[in-house]
Amino acid sequence: MSTTSSSFPVDATARVAAPGDRALVLGGGGAAGNAWLIGVLAGLHDAGLDVTTADLTVGTSAGATTAAQLGGATPAALVAATVDAPPAPRPALAGAGRDPVRAAAEGMARTQAIIDAASDVADMRRRLGAAALELEAASDGSWPERWRAIVGGRLPSPDWPDRTVALTTVDARTGEPVVFDRHSGVALVDAVAASCSSGQPYAIGDDRYIDGGYRRNENADLAAGHARVLVLSPLGGRSRHPRAWGSDLATQVAELRAGGSDVETVVPGDAAEHLFGANAVDLAQRPVAARAGHDQGLALAERLGAFWG
């Protein structure tokens, strides 16, 4: 397989849109990450900078949810719903009565062992997909339907946005990266559910998919060719993968800049660090994360406005 200068494997998703002017990249980070992303976008918008009309929006995992939500609601409406509405109890996807933060921590430990055993990123994806398929085989088969209902309840509209939106996932059977858009013949709710699928794989027809963050954490390289790329990374640009694999945000940014793109990144401030990791699944953290993101958006609007144009 051919490689780039960073040794990251080239795949069929390496270019998802024709080169354009502006691209917005929304990384993963669980329920808290989704709230933080909404907050940043709302803060920017409230300060007079609307970045949601980018020529391309790339969404991964929680960022896929955010990208889809923006097709049916304004940032202001999304952040108001996040901050003002009392959090609903988290459905027991990991088993009745299980604490979601503990279950998330256990899942992270399990997948980290798989990552550590892999020889490279392609091997990692295949191993993670195989492990997810084993979980599916041992289950009662009800998870995809329940997950689809949960994801659908988060989307203001079932329709794909009119603008170009690319949502990332990974084929659980082959380990190959996949990008869904409005031309893929896949419903928006299914594309989002696949991109956010952790633990068991998400079924779309006969196919199975796992979290898009296993392609690359933010998948910012999919914005290659765009003049200006704004990356919002709830996880702060960190990666659970070995640095040599080039999955970290710094490597992605370096590649984009080498290709001629001007890139700006936004990560949570130090005060919000506790919101992520296993805590990211805790719905009680969402209002806090949204407020923190909103404050950042307001503070960064002037500088990013000069960049965005």
Side-chain angles (χ1 to χ4, degrees), residues 280-305:
V281 303
D282 184 358
L283 295 185
Q285 303 289 353
R286 283 178 56 79
V288 181
R291 292 188 189 98
H294 189 267
D295 289 345
Q296 278 190 270
L298 290 174
L300 292 171
E302 183 175 357
R303 176 171 68 81
L304 292 180

Side-chain angles (χ1 to χ4, degrees), residues 64-82:
T65 302
T66 309
Q69 288 171 324
L70 292 171
T74 65
L78 291 172
V79 79
T82 303

Side-chain angles (χ1 to χ4, degrees), residues 27-245:
N34 168 252
W36 179 81
L37 289 167
I38 288 169
V40 172
L41 294 170
L44 293 174
H45 191 274
D46 288 349
L49 177 60
D50 184 5
V51 299
T52 67
T53 59
D55 300 297
L56 167 68
T57 300
V58 177
T60 295
S61 199
T65 302
T66 309
Q69 288 171 324
L70 292 171
T74 65
L78 291 172
V79 79
T82 303
V83 170
D84 297 337
R90 182 173 175 81
L93 287 174
R98 293 195 67 194
D99 174 72
V101 175
R102 181 175 180 178
E106 292 171 354
M108 290 177 68
R110 177 180 58 81
T111 54
Q112 189 63 56
I114 296 171
I115 293 168
D116 292 343
S119 58
D120 56 31
V121 70
D123 182 43
M124 175 201 72
R125 294 196 206 107
R126 288 191 293 268
R127 288 172 180 260
L128 287 166
L133 291 169
E134 288 179 2
L135 289 175
E136 179 188 45
S139 74
D140 63 6
S142 66
W143 184 82
E145 183 177 351
R146 289 187 289 134
W147 184 231
R148 190 180 200 274
I150 292 166
V151 171
R154 297 170 177 170
L155 305 184
S157 170
D159 300 324
W160 280 91
D162 291 335
R163 57 186 171 272
T164 302
V165 173
L167 305 183
T168 65
T169 187
V170 172
D171 188 307
R173 292 198 173 105
T174 66
E176 290 299 313
V178 176
V179 172
F180 290 127
D181 63 17
R182 67 178 185 270
H183 304 297
S184 299
V186 171
L188 178 63
V189 62
D190 289 320
V192 174
S195 186
C196 300
S197 186
S198 59
Q200 293 186 42
Y202 183 73
I204 302 179
D206 293 332
D207 298 318
R208 300 293 185 271
Y209 299 95
I210 57 174
D211 196 290
Y214 292 130
R215 178 190 179 274
R216 228 171 173 183
N217 287 20
E218 294 80 15
N219 293 300
D221 59 296
L222 296 180
H226 287 72
R228 287 167 281 190
V229 182
L230 175 61
V231 184
L232 307 187
S233 174
L235 297 179
R238 294 182 298 274
S239 174
R240 297 168 64 203
H241 309 165
R243 187 170 181 81
W245 292 0

